């Protein structure tokens, strides 16, 4: 996507990364979540699931549906999602409050199973994920949105490892967006009021 401006003034006058339009939901997400280090296993599972659901769509679409996702996906409890029946999947597929894509819905169930196996093996989803950036945020300080890549060697490696562990909808581009959102990578634009504050 081509953005018109690298930073944009929000409804409060603060400059934000150019993708964070003046939508209040987007502004709040940009200021309080995106790029802030997230190290809670279940919250990371939720975010990875939603990033997979977002594939091919805009993130604001997912944000607007997130609360409903939390409701119908049992608070993103992987143990519960892993046991979803065909009847539950049919119900989800008919729910207009979420993105009704069979492959993405089925992947959320198989990913929950892969998550449980990975945590049993590794002890912590967060520790496993954060190992791809050496345990601390990689701060890039891009000067423009053109300087922000769609993928990186770290997202390539994470994607490959997650796929090997049985995850789906975890291509490198999705993984890079996930790494940005979870604060593993800090790509706030120089000039954004959140730059270097995550």
């Amino acid at each position: 996507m081509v953005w018109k401006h690298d930073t944009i003034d929000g409804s409060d006058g603060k400059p934000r990364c150019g993708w964070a339009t003046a939508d209040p939901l987007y502004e709040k997400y940009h200021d309080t979540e995106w790029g802030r280090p997230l190290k809670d296993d279940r919250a990371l599972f939720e975010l990875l699931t939603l990033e997979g659901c977002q594939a091919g769509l805009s993130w604001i679409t997912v944000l607007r549906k997130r609360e409903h996702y939390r409701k119908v996906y049992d608070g993103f409890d992987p143990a519960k999602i892993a046991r979803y029946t065909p009847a539950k999947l049919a119900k989800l597929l008919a729910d207009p409050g979420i993105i009704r894509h069979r492959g993405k819905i089925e992947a959320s169930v198989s990913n929950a199973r892969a998550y449980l196996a990975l945590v049993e093996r590794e002890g912590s989803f967060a520790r496993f994920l954060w190992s791809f950036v050496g345990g601390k945020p990689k701060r890039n300080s891009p000067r423009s949105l053109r300087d922000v890549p769609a993928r990186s060697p770290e997202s390539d490696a994470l994607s490959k490892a997650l796929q090997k562990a049985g995850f789906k909808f975890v291509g490198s581009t999705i993984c890079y967006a996930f790494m940005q959102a979870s604060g593993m990578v800090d790509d706030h634009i120089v000039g954004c009021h959140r730059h270097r504050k995550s």
Side-chain angles (χ1 to χ4, degrees):
M1 183 173 283
V2 177
W3 302 101
K4 199 170 180 182
H5 302 287
D6 293 318
T7 59
I8 187 169
D9 288 340
S11 58
D12 55 4
K14 291 179 180 176
R16 290 178 174 84
C17 297
W19 56 263
T21 61
D23 184 299
L25 195 60
Y26 237 172
E27 287 183 356
K28 183 180 179 190
Y29 172 74
H30 171 274
D31 290 1
T32 64
E33 294 183 60
W34 194 77
R36 291 198 179 198
L38 183 61
K39 296 198 174 181
D40 175 83
D41 278 9
R42 188 184 291 190
L44 286 163
F45 173 73
E46 173 184 326
L47 184 58
L48 186 63
T49 302
L50 292 175
E51 288 287 356
C53 292
Q54 182 259 338
L57 303 168
S58 67
W59 184 242
I60 192 68
T61 301
V62 175
L63 277 183
R64 288 177 179 144
K65 294 177 180 286
R66 182 165 62 170
E67 286 309 314
H68 190 67
Y69 264 106
R70 287 172 173 165
K71 180 181 171 187
V72 299
Y73 269 80
D74 293 293
F76 285 95
D77 181 335
K80 290 182 179 176
I81 296 171
R83 295 193 303 269
Y84 281 179
T85 62
K88 172 69 173 181
L89 294 183
K91 191 175 178 183
L92 289 171
L93 200 53
D95 190 333
I98 66 169
I99 294 156
R100 293 180 290 175
H101 182 288
R102 183 179 297 277
K104 292 175 180 180
I105 292 170
E106 289 176 351
S108 65
V109 178
S110 60
N111 286 358
R113 293 174 185 149
Y115 166 92
L116 293 171
L118 189 150
V119 170
E120 188 171 328
R121 185 173 66 250
E122 301 286 339
S124 164
F125 193 45
R127 189 167 58 245
F128 169 79
L129 295 170
W130 278 84
S131 71
F132 290 86
V133 289
K136 61 183 182 180
K138 184 178 179 190
R139 301 189 187 279
N140 290 330
S141 293
R143 298 206 162 268
S144 77
L145 290 170
R146 289 184 306 280
D147 296 334
V148 179
R151 59 193 289 177
S152 68
E154 293 85 358
S155 71
D156 289 348
L158 176 58
S159 172
K160 190 173 178 182
L162 286 171
Q163 288 178 51
K164 187 177 177 184
F167 287 80
K168 296 174 183 169
F169 283 93
V170 288
S172 187
T173 302
I174 288 173
C175 282
Y176 192 76
F178 169 73
M179 293 170 88
Q180 290 174 305
S182 63
M184 284 184 239
V185 174
D186 182 352
D187 272 340
H188 281 288
I189 303 294
V190 173
C192 167
H193 84 99
R194 288 296 316 162
H195 175 66
R196 292 288 194 187
K197 290 181 181 174
S198 296

